[in-house]
Amino acid sequence: MKAADFDIPFNRAALAGNEQAYMQQALANGQISGDGPFTRRAEAMLEGSLGCRRALLTTSCTHALELAALLLDLEPGDEVIVPAFTFVSTPNAFVLRGARIVFVDVRADTLNLDERQLEALVTPRTRAVVPVHYAGVGCELDVICEVAGRHGLAVVEDNAHGLFGRYRGRPLGTFGVFAAQSFHETKSFTCGEGGALLLNDERHVERAEIVREKGTNRKRFFRGEVDRYTWVDVGSSYVISDLLAAFLVAQLEARDAVQETRARLWRRYETALGDWAAETGAALPVVPEHCDHAYHLFHILLPTAAARAALIDRLRARRILAVFHYLPLNLSDMGLRHGGHAGQCPVTEDVADRLVRLPLYNTLSDSEQDRVIDAVRGAELP
Ligand SMILES: *Cc1c(COP(=O)(O)O)cnc(C)c1O
């Protein structure tokens, strides 16, 4: 079935309102390459709302992670600890630097990196750990940062799901030395394709600007700090067009309304499906007391893979698209080459077959959501 075959898609990118006007302004400004006024505005909004030392817009979250990996000066053979339940970009950014990926399993409740298993995986070659705040619920950052601090590891948050979520009151994305954000179409705030690297340590800021700008000190040149710009370090092209930054500014300006809408829809699912979940043995998302989550996803863990298949089929028959999520990375072709094997991450390997995500997007109406809820509650599960 194609997307058009569904009345209720899994995701639909919603305009906040000012996207076109701001893109027109970017055109009128005469600068549609990167680091124009809208890029700076979007970065300032992220810095102001999160309190990170510096935000740098990038072409994607994947590229923000690559930038972080470059800044860490990883060497071949260095090890990076990554949850097995995540998107391929989380490990790939480090694999590109020659690092060896060490998979860690996730917790059965939050599906976040299991912090209790972290320390046992640390070796003299370990350089970094990459917590992914699944669905926008913070990992146990107290423990992760404590273990990382004791062993001299860099914490790089993959915060693609977690923008505006908090852990013990502090914004996700401000715990690691670096954090990567995504503004891909599938995320809560989008410009189609885009991302950001958040920097929480002043010492990395200047070098990050250089590496992001092809290894040149072009930024210093534009600030009038040097009289020409030149090649000073390794680098690549991670700067995003100001046209896309303009789109993103409009999205970020709607932050409160977007998060209120997502929170309301998320809680509606939770309330409406509670009894059904208890009866069928399905598990709704677990959000610890000390986490204010980002309302990025609403996922359900069905008791069996067959039950999940039946639920997806039932929704599909009603023209509603619900989807599963990550396959265990330790069992992927690339994962196997990094020492991944069956049984290594039992929770990941189990939940990957039972998880389904329900439609959740800013323009999902109550009546559409009721259709989803009715279809779920009415499903006959094997
Ligand atoms: C979406 C996503 C990415 C990649 O984001 P892009 O902006 O598409 O590169 C990385 N990690 C996680 C956890 C994601 O969900």
Side-chain angles (χ1 to χ4, degrees), residues 336-369:
L336 297 175
R337 284 193 244 157
H338 284 261
H341 55 269
Q344 181 185 17
C345 299
V347 176
T348 300
E349 292 166 39
D350 170 41
V351 298
D353 284 338
R354 299 191 287 115
L355 184 142
V356 63
R357 292 173 290 160
L358 299 183
L360 179 65
Y361 46 87
N362 312 345
T363 55
L364 184 69
S365 69
D366 285 5
S367 63
E368 286 171 324
Q369 191 182 28

Side-chain angles (χ1 to χ4, degrees), residues 60-62 86-87 89-90 132 158 160-161 182 184 187 194 326:
S60 65
C61 177
T62 303
T86 183
F87 188 60
S89 294
T90 318
V132 178
D158 180 337
H161 299 184
S182 177
H184 185 263
K187 302 306 194 297
Y326 308 125

Side-chain angles (χ1 to χ4, degrees), residues 43-62:
E43 291 173 348
M45 290 169 88
L46 291 170
E47 289 158 8
S49 55
L50 302 175
C52 56
R53 170 61 193 81
R54 184 79 166 89
L56 292 170
L57 288 197
T58 58
T59 28
S60 65
C61 177
T62 303

Side-chain angles (χ1 to χ4, degrees), residues 59 65 77 88-89 136 140 152 247 258 288 309 371 380:
T59 28
L65 289 164
V88 294
S89 294
E140 286 306 329
F247 194 107
V258 167
R371 263 179 74 178
E380 279 192 31

Side-chain angles (χ1 to χ4, degrees), residues 61-249:
C61 177
T62 303
H63 280 167
L65 289 164
E66 288 180 21
L67 184 47
L70 279 164
L71 292 167
L72 289 175
D73 285 325
L74 295 180
E75 289 174 14
D78 283 346
E79 295 172 3
V80 176
I81 300 174
V82 172
F85 192 64
T86 183
F87 188 60
V88 294
S89 294
T90 318
N92 240 345
F94 302 94
V95 169
L96 281 170
R97 305 266 58 81
R100 195 173 85 78
I101 300 304
V102 175
F103 294 107
V104 58
D105 205 358
V106 295
R107 298 175 56 104
D109 52 3
T110 56
L111 310 184
N112 277 333
L113 184 157
D114 191 338
E115 73 285 353
R116 297 160 298 191
Q117 300 185 28
L118 183 56
E119 188 143 30
L121 297 172
V122 175
T123 76
R125 294 304 308 263
T126 311
R127 295 286 316 282
V129 53
V130 193
V132 178
H133 308 304
Y134 185 72
V137 178
C139 294
E140 286 306 329
L141 288 156
D142 280 352
V143 176
I144 294 168
C145 292
E146 190 272 321
V147 171
R150 212 151 20 79
H151 293 277
L153 316 181
V155 174
V156 180
E157 297 174 72
D158 180 337
N159 197 29
H161 299 184
L163 185 58
F164 304 131
R166 287 169 179 264
Y167 177 81
R168 299 197 193 280
R170 177 168 150 196
L172 299 178
T174 64
F175 289 82
V177 59
F178 305 115
Q181 302 296 150
S182 177
F183 302 114
H184 185 263
E185 182 170 21
T186 50
K187 302 306 194 297
S188 302
F189 297 84
T190 181
C191 58
E193 301 274 358
L197 183 71
L198 310 183
L199 296 111
N200 294 308
D201 184 338
E202 174 65 33
R203 280 172 299 179
H204 292 286
V205 173
E206 185 176 348
R207 184 159 184 244
E209 291 178 351
I210 289 169
V211 176
R212 170 174 169 272
E213 198 34 299
K214 297 117 187 152
T216 70
N217 55 355
R218 194 161 179 264
K219 265 208 182 249
R220 294 195 66 194
F221 171 71
F222 282 120
R223 286 198 295 255
E225 294 167 11
V226 289
D227 61 5
R228 72 192 67 172
Y229 78 86
T230 184
W231 185 21
V232 295
D233 205 330
V234 293
S236 191
S237 181
Y238 296 134
V239 176
I240 192 171
S241 163
D242 219 46
L243 267 176
L244 289 178
F247 194 107
L248 183 63
V249 167

